[in-house]
Amino acid sequence: MELRSVHVTRYITPLREGGSLPALAEADDGFNYVIKFRGAGHGTKALISELIGGEIARLLGLNIPEIVFIYLDEAFGRTEADEEIQDLLKASRGLNLGLHFLSGALTYDPVVTKIDSYLASKIVWLDAFLTNIDRTIKNTNMLIWHKELWLIDMGASLYFHHSWINWERLSVTPFAEIKNHVLLPFASHLEEIDQQCKELISLEKIGEIVNLIPDDWLDWRSSEESTQDIKNIYLEFLSNRLNNSQLFIKEANNARKTII
């Protein structure tokens, strides 16, 4: 499993959404990408969440923009007039994450667009598995592009790594925050989808995705853990959640009973 690597050739515009300040940029392959910067907010941990979450979603057959490694060289940021953006670009030199820009896409609105209950169930399953707290009615993080639903912004997934404490316990939590998921009211096939997803996601595939994490994105631990040790923790965290999926399926179904 590999991701393509591209280099930024032109910074187009900031996308002022949330605190991470992503940007639209052109790369040397001629395509435009939404860049998630290593120098923003939660740093490379948000990039790791995007990478793992996006590629697992792709394993499940969900629509995800192509994810690429995107390089930002030292020349960027020198002529930027906005000091906040200039500082961000300087702090993000090197390897960042890019997602193919879906030109003309519209924000998903559950009132306007109804989606299939099986698709809703699969997305709810994914976000409960990844402990993604940020796909709510206020911020759906989904787009309609070419009449299909696309998932974006997985950066709020795997929130355990922001503290890196008690990760074993957190790996088997029911994930109560699923009650706020925008698609939960429509997710009426969670048990069936649980079996399908567990057939599609193998530990071998998860391991391949985790091993995509660049070593220099893991240079945030002050302990003696090696980069491979950290990758092993991500793998074990996801393995535990996969093997105990009945916990978050039960939580989601119980939450559905209170809102339908």
Side-chain angles (χ1 to χ4, degrees):
M1 184 176 290
E2 296 181 355
L3 297 186
R4 291 192 305 116
S5 296
V6 298
H7 289 75
V8 174
T9 57
R10 183 168 65 98
Y11 182 94
I12 299 175
T13 186
L15 302 174
R16 296 184 179 277
E17 301 171 358
S20 63
L21 206 67
L24 181 63
E26 184 179 4
D28 56 3
D29 62 354
F31 292 107
N32 291 343
Y33 295 91
V34 175
I35 305 180
K36 301 300 181 75
F37 292 108
R38 63 186 298 155
H42 294 299
T44 56
K45 292 181 182 180
L47 307 191
I48 291 169
S49 296
E50 290 277 6
L51 173 58
I52 292 177
E55 292 307 312
I56 288 179
R58 203 182 311 281
L59 277 182
L60 296 179
L62 296 167
N63 290 326
I64 295 286
E66 182 190 8
I67 297 172
V68 299
F69 293 127
I70 191 161
Y71 288 89
L72 196 67
D73 66 32
E74 294 184 3
F76 283 89
R78 293 176 181 171
T79 60
E80 173 58 49
D82 187 309
E83 290 187 4
E84 181 184 14
I85 297 174
Q86 185 181 91
D87 291 342
L88 175 62
L89 295 176
K90 287 180 179 178
S92 301
R93 291 167 181 168
L95 188 61
N96 297 274
L97 195 77
L99 294 95
H100 194 95
F101 178 60
L102 305 181
S103 180
L106 301 174
T107 299
Y108 166 74
D109 184 336
V111 176
V112 175
T113 305
K114 303 300 181 182
I115 69 169
D116 178 79
S117 58
Y118 284 94
L119 177 57
S121 298
K122 184 176 284 189
I123 295 171
V124 169
W125 187 97
L126 171 72
D127 288 328
F129 173 58
L130 296 173
T131 62
N132 182 12
I133 62 175
D134 197 16
R135 208 179 309 280
T136 66
I137 191 66
K138 293 182 179 179
N139 190 17
T140 65
N141 281 321
M142 292 181 285
L143 300 174
I144 299 296
W145 192 59
H146 292 182
K147 299 181 179 181
E148 291 186 315
L149 189 73
W150 290 71
L151 306 185
I152 59 169
D153 203 347
M154 310 290 285
S157 303
L158 305 174
Y159 62 82
F160 83 93
H161 63 185
H162 294 296
S163 64
W164 210 253
I165 298 172
N166 296 326
W167 64 265
E168 298 98 330
R169 178 182 60 81
L170 292 174
S171 71
V172 292
T173 58
F175 190 56
E177 288 81 0
I178 201 65
K179 67 181 181 293
N180 299 316
H181 200 288
V182 63
L183 296 182
L184 186 62
F186 316 110
S188 55
H189 301 283
L190 286 169
E191 290 89 353
E192 184 177 348
I193 289 297
D194 182 41
Q195 294 303 313
Q196 292 179 15
C197 290
K198 292 171 80 169
E199 291 173 2
L200 291 169
I201 300 178
S202 67
L203 294 183
E204 180 182 4
K205 287 294 184 182
I206 293 176
E208 290 179 11
I209 292 171
V210 168
N211 282 328
L212 290 172
I213 302 172
D215 286 351
D216 78 334
W217 284 6
L218 299 172
D219 189 22
W220 40 259
R221 290 290 292 142
S222 58
S223 71
E224 297 180 355
E225 291 171 332
S226 68
T227 55
Q228 190 56 54
D229 290 335
I230 297 172
K231 290 179 182 180
N232 289 341
I233 290 174
Y234 278 110
L235 178 59
E236 190 167 347
F237 178 90
L238 292 166
S239 173
N240 286 350
R241 291 201 67 72
L242 191 65
N243 291 332
N244 293 277
S245 63
Q246 73 278 1
L247 295 175
F248 60 76
I249 293 299
K250 181 179 179 180
E251 182 73 22
N253 277 327
N254 287 342
R256 286 191 77 245
K257 294 175 182 177
T258 68
I259 59 177
I260 60 174

